[in-house]
Amino acid sequence: MSNANFIFSAFADEITPDFDGQLEALKALGIPLLELRGVDGKSFVQLTDEEVDTVKAKLDAAGIGLSSLGSPIGKMDADGDFEAHLALFDRIMDIGDKLGCKRIRMFSFYPGSLDREAFENRVFEWMEILVSKAESRGFILCHENEKDIYGDSPANEHKLMAHFGGRLKAVLDPGNFAFCKMDPAPAYPLLKEYVEYFHIKDADEEGIIVPPGKGVALLEETIARIATDRAGQDVVLTME
């Protein structure tokens, strides 16, 4: 029986802020995909149309594809200026259209001054708006479990995924659960049907980021299960 076909991607801005250097490193390492985030020292969301065209030309020349847009959407307080955030979201989708990338990595907001119930209600309200806007333009929203946001625990992320019934996808990052000092063991069983792609990160028992496989994020076990569960399928692993 065949296993999953793992395809590597990377946040290459963690190698160097220089975009040309990022592409050179990916080619040298044999990594065919980039999760776009930082370009020449600034977020890709700050690029002009002309700069986006330059990024596209450089990607094409290097033979590097995009696995996802590593956006900051959802990294704001749930009592903040959502209208400005929606304008940013529209701009990110414009950039995605120009680059031919329909996946957007995003988050599920910080509580700000809201109590737990109000925070949860606001998250589901705002996420519905974002998911609907993405669907109207053919984009796939991929939620990453990140420290201190609503979906920072396996239980909360599952609640979010189940609420949207597959309209919202997950970026499973077992390392972030370990980073938050949470048990990552329940995450994959709870979320596997919703996962669009995976991040490779690890942390030790103290929540300190360590090389993959050196921490408690259960990466080896999770990857082995993915290999079996998604036999014959292409599976993107983005390295941080």
Side-chain angles (χ1 to χ4, degrees):
M1 181 177 177
S2 63
N3 286 326
N5 176 37
F6 291 115
I7 303 172
F8 288 126
S9 181
F11 282 109
D13 58 352
E14 295 192 354
I15 300 172
T16 174
D18 176 65
F19 193 65
D20 290 332
Q22 292 177 31
L23 298 181
E24 289 172 7
L26 292 178
K27 287 194 294 182
L29 294 168
I31 297 173
L33 297 175
L34 168 68
E35 185 154 349
L36 187 66
R37 187 171 58 185
V39 176
D40 295 329
K42 61 184 179 182
S43 171
F44 80 89
V45 305
Q46 299 172 306
L47 299 177
T48 66
D49 283 347
E50 292 75 15
E51 289 170 329
V52 173
D53 290 340
T54 298
V55 165
K56 180 68 164 61
K58 289 182 176 182
L59 286 166
D60 290 345
I64 300 292
L66 293 181
S67 60
S68 184
L69 301 177
S71 88
I73 292 300
K75 273 198 169 183
M76 65 167 287
D77 288 344
D79 55 359
D81 185 353
F82 189 53
E83 289 304 316
H85 213 56
L86 286 178
L88 175 62
F89 185 52
D90 285 335
R91 175 58 184 162
I92 289 168
M93 289 192 288
D94 290 343
I95 292 172
D97 281 335
K98 289 177 76 68
L99 294 177
C101 182
K102 288 293 190 175
R103 283 196 191 111
I104 299 175
R105 184 280 307 262
M106 50 89 70
F107 306 91
S108 54
F109 307 101
Y110 303 110
S113 63
L114 301 183
D115 64 30
R116 187 66 190 176
E117 182 178 0
F119 176 42
E120 182 172 277
N121 290 338
R122 179 64 54 79
V123 166
F124 283 71
E125 174 193 350
W126 283 1
M127 293 293 279
E128 175 61 42
I129 294 169
L130 291 168
V131 169
S132 294
K133 285 177 72 72
E135 288 174 334
S136 73
R137 293 184 55 173
F139 282 84
I140 301 171
L141 286 189
C142 305
H143 172 272
E144 179 183 351
N145 53 288
E146 172 89 354
K147 187 176 182 180
D148 296 330
I149 62 172
Y150 176 81
D152 66 353
S153 69
N156 274 4
E157 185 164 15
H158 179 261
K159 188 172 185 178
L160 194 60
M161 294 298 119
H163 175 83
F164 286 97
R167 296 170 61 214
L168 176 67
K169 300 297 184 180
V171 181
L172 181 60
D173 190 329
N176 273 346
F177 292 127
F179 180 59
C180 296
K181 300 183 181 180
M182 295 181 187
D183 180 8
Y188 179 69
L190 277 175
L191 299 168
K192 65 179 182 179
E193 67 180 289
Y194 303 109
V195 175
E196 179 75 7
Y197 66 99
F198 299 82
H199 280 179
I200 300 300
K201 184 194 296 180
D202 210 343
D204 64 18
E205 293 177 348
E206 301 302 316
I208 297 171
I209 300 298
V210 295
K214 301 296 185 181
V216 296
L218 305 177
L219 288 181
E220 184 176 353
E221 296 89 336
T222 301
I223 289 172
R225 294 183 70 175
I226 297 164
T228 300
D229 291 344
R230 302 203 174 189
Q233 299 177 38
D234 291 343
V235 177
V236 173
L237 304 178
T238 295
M239 293 174 286
E240 289 197 69

